Amino acid sequence: MTMLAEPEQQEWLCAFSLHRNTRLLTASPGGLACLHGFRALSVLWIIILHSSLQLRLHSVNEEETSESVSGQRYFFVSAGHLAVDSFFVLSGLLLVYTSAGKTESLSLSNLPRFYLNRYVRLFPLLAAAVVMRAAEPRLTDGPRAVDYAQGVVRCRDYWWSALLHVQNIVNPREMCLGHSWYLSVDMQLHVVSALLLCGAGAARADRRARGRTWGALGAAALAAVAATLAFCFYFNFPDITKDSPRNWVSSAAFYWTWYYYNTIVRSPPFFIGMMFGFGLYVLKNEKLHLPKWSIWLCHGGALVLSLLVMLAEHPGTRAFFDHHLPALNLKLALARTCWALALGWLIFACTQGYGGPVNWFLSLRLWRFVARLSYAMYLFSNILQEEPDATGGVNYFDIRALLWRFCGDAAVTVAVSVAAIVLVEAPLHTLLAPLLKPRSTHKP
């Protein structure tokens, strides 16, 4: 009997190699270099937003907190929710850019494998985060631990809806890991997007296929924007001060469950990202020569759009929207579309050589490590940020305290994310890899 392991057994054992899995974190990633900077900055933006929310939760200086939040320096932090829309743009863009060449023969027979690849990509770390939240009573204790016990109960009751990516539809008010709504929406958009990619792989050589794909993506983006507009103006989500027969629509709970977590409302940035991704795929290894005036015009338009969307989060601007409901409906319906257009152009410009110093900054090697951890950081950061508040400590809120809290939250999140990837994600991906390989059609 030989003592040598078979190749399959060797691969199984290597899946648990700390040396091998750690090297995966430092491997040079391929793809579009500027996207590493976008991904890293987006996840850090989300962490500092959540740090500020937790720091304000039990602050002892309420008056100073109100002044700081309404100040000029804080509105950038309060606009951190836009980073989620950045992730939708990046997800749609990379879906097309990396998959278009593989979808020429996409049909009903291989759609399950297409979906399975995406599901397996998200499953290991999401399952680890669910287990971590369900086990939180054994990790955290304090005077306010009871306040966080509801999240534990929700994960023990509705863990299945989180892992199946349906919780924003099935139990939107009883979510396990409230911030994981993004993954549910993203997975649902991936299911729909597969139908739009039929024939996209032949678009580089076939003008008809290219036209059909452009038409499908453009129609999907326009339909998503139109549906969002109709949705916002019909339901009037922010109208909480008026007596009306539909006042129930304006409740905060309805706003979160039917607007903020809504797949239709969140879809425009994803489809816009798909359009930019398809443009980059068609122009892969080629450069689109544009006149300088058009480049500067697009740069200026992207800058104006992004600044307007962020300034809309300033307390003074919010007061204007609160008194002008039609303007507020337009903001809710179109702000994410404008942000996606600005971000999409910036990515396109950087990739095509028109990004200048912005492309240099976003392509720095220092972003690559954080970008590799971004998915894990998004999942675990909110859990880790909530735990200290369960111990019953009080907070003092100001900008300096916020920066210290952010640095600590980011450092702990990075450490936990590295451990989760090395010990959970990498081994499971290796073990599940045989399920994702296409079956051989070769006949001897």
Side-chain angles (χ1 to χ4, degrees), residues 82 85 89 221 224-226 228-229 265 267-269 272 276 305 309 330-344:
L82 294 171
D85 298 294
V89 174
V225 174
T228 303
L229 276 168
V265 173
S267 61
I272 291 173
F276 279 103
L305 283 178
V309 173
L330 279 176
K331 170 199 166 185
L332 291 175
L334 299 179
R336 293 182 174 86
T337 299
C338 295
W339 181 260
L341 289 172
L343 183 63

Side-chain angles (χ1 to χ4, degrees), residues 51 63 75 139 156 236 264 269 292 416 440:
S51 295
E63 293 184 2
F75 83 93
L139 304 175
R156 292 179 177 179
N236 286 333
I264 296 176
K292 288 187 178 181
V416 173
S440 175

Side-chain angles (χ1 to χ4, degrees), residues 113-320:
R113 191 171 301 277
F114 177 85
Y115 297 142
L116 182 62
N117 272 274
R118 181 62 182 175
Y119 183 82
V120 170
R121 166 68 180 87
L122 302 177
F123 174 78
L125 290 183
L126 178 59
V130 170
V131 171
M132 184 176 181
R133 172 50 61 89
E136 200 166 15
R138 301 183 181 274
L139 304 175
T140 303
D141 192 16
R144 284 195 291 267
V146 177
D147 299 337
Y148 298 91
Q150 295 180 352
V152 176
V153 173
R154 287 195 293 266
C155 270
R156 292 179 177 179
D157 292 341
Y158 297 104
W159 58 268
W160 55 272
S161 64
L163 297 182
L164 294 178
H165 303 291
V166 295
Q167 58 181 346
N168 66 317
I169 299 173
V170 176
N171 53 293
R173 299 188 184 184
E174 300 290 337
M175 283 191 183
C176 167
L177 300 178
H179 59 289
S180 66
W181 66 268
Y182 162 80
L183 299 178
S184 299
V185 174
D186 185 75
M187 187 65 185
Q188 293 159 19
L189 291 173
H190 270 75
V191 171
V192 176
S193 65
L195 303 176
L196 302 177
L197 291 178
C198 295
R204 297 182 66 186
D206 188 346
R207 290 187 177 182
R208 291 185 178 180
R210 187 185 309 175
R212 288 193 299 268
T213 305
W214 277 122
L217 294 176
L222 289 176
V225 174
T228 303
L229 276 168
F231 206 75
C232 291
F233 274 91
Y234 178 76
F235 288 112
N236 286 333
F237 292 100
D239 187 15
I240 59 176
T241 60
K242 297 181 179 179
D243 268 331
S244 67
R246 290 185 295 142
N247 193 44
W248 61 276
V249 173
S250 304
S251 67
F254 193 90
Y255 168 84
W256 285 98
T257 57
W258 289 96
Y259 172 79
Y260 199 83
Y261 305 145
N262 191 298
T263 305
I264 296 176
V265 173
R266 290 291 183 170
S267 61
F270 187 88
F271 290 124
I272 291 173
M274 290 184 69
M275 294 183 68
F276 279 103
F278 183 65
L280 292 174
Y281 168 75
V282 172
L283 295 171
K284 187 178 292 187
N285 300 324
E286 298 179 15
K287 182 174 181 178
L288 183 64
H289 296 282
L290 299 173
K292 288 187 178 181
W293 65 267
S294 64
I295 297 172
W296 285 109
L297 180 64
C298 291
H299 281 337
L303 180 62
V304 170
L305 283 178
S306 58
L307 288 178
L308 286 176
V309 173
M310 285 193 294
L311 287 172
E313 301 302 321
H314 191 279
T317 311
R318 284 183 175 180
F320 167 80

Side-chain angles (χ1 to χ4, degrees), residues 310-381:
M310 285 193 294
L311 287 172
E313 301 302 321
H314 191 279
T317 311
R318 284 183 175 180
F320 167 80
F321 285 118
D322 289 340
H323 293 87
H324 299 82
L325 186 58
L328 186 49
N329 286 332
L330 279 176
K331 170 199 166 185
L332 291 175
L334 299 179
R336 293 182 174 86
T337 299
C338 295
W339 181 260
L341 289 172
L343 183 63
W345 162 254
L346 187 55
I347 296 173
F348 183 84
C350 290
T351 306
Q352 287 289 304
Y354 300 118
V358 175
N359 181 47
W360 169 82
F361 176 74
L362 294 172
S363 302
L364 290 174
R365 294 181 62 88
L366 64 91
W367 301 124
R368 295 182 180 181
F369 180 69
V370 180
R372 173 66 181 86
L373 301 177
S374 59
Y375 173 50
M377 291 175 67
Y378 178 82
L379 277 176
F380 293 106
S381 61

Side-chain angles (χ1 to χ4, degrees), residues 43-120:
V43 74
L44 293 176
W45 200 4
I46 291 175
I47 291 177
I48 194 173
L49 172 64
H50 289 166
S51 295
S52 69
L53 295 177
Q54 294 299 325
L55 195 62
R56 291 164 52 191
L57 189 61
H58 301 294
S59 62
V60 295
N61 56 331
E62 295 184 3
E63 293 184 2
E64 295 181 19
T65 299
S66 300
E67 293 178 1
S68 298
V69 170
S70 60
Q72 300 292 334
R73 295 178 295 177
Y74 186 80
F75 83 93
F76 176 80
V77 176
S78 62
H81 64 87
L82 294 171
V84 179
D85 298 294
S86 300
F87 277 123
F88 279 125
V89 174
L90 296 175
S91 182
L93 186 148
L94 288 173
L95 170 66
V96 180
Y97 184 78
T98 60
S99 303
K102 307 174 185 177
T103 56
E104 186 174 358
S105 59
L106 189 65
S107 62
L108 294 178
S109 62
N110 52 29
L111 270 178
R113 191 171 301 277
F114 177 85
Y115 297 142
L116 182 62
N117 272 274
R118 181 62 182 175
Y119 183 82
V120 170

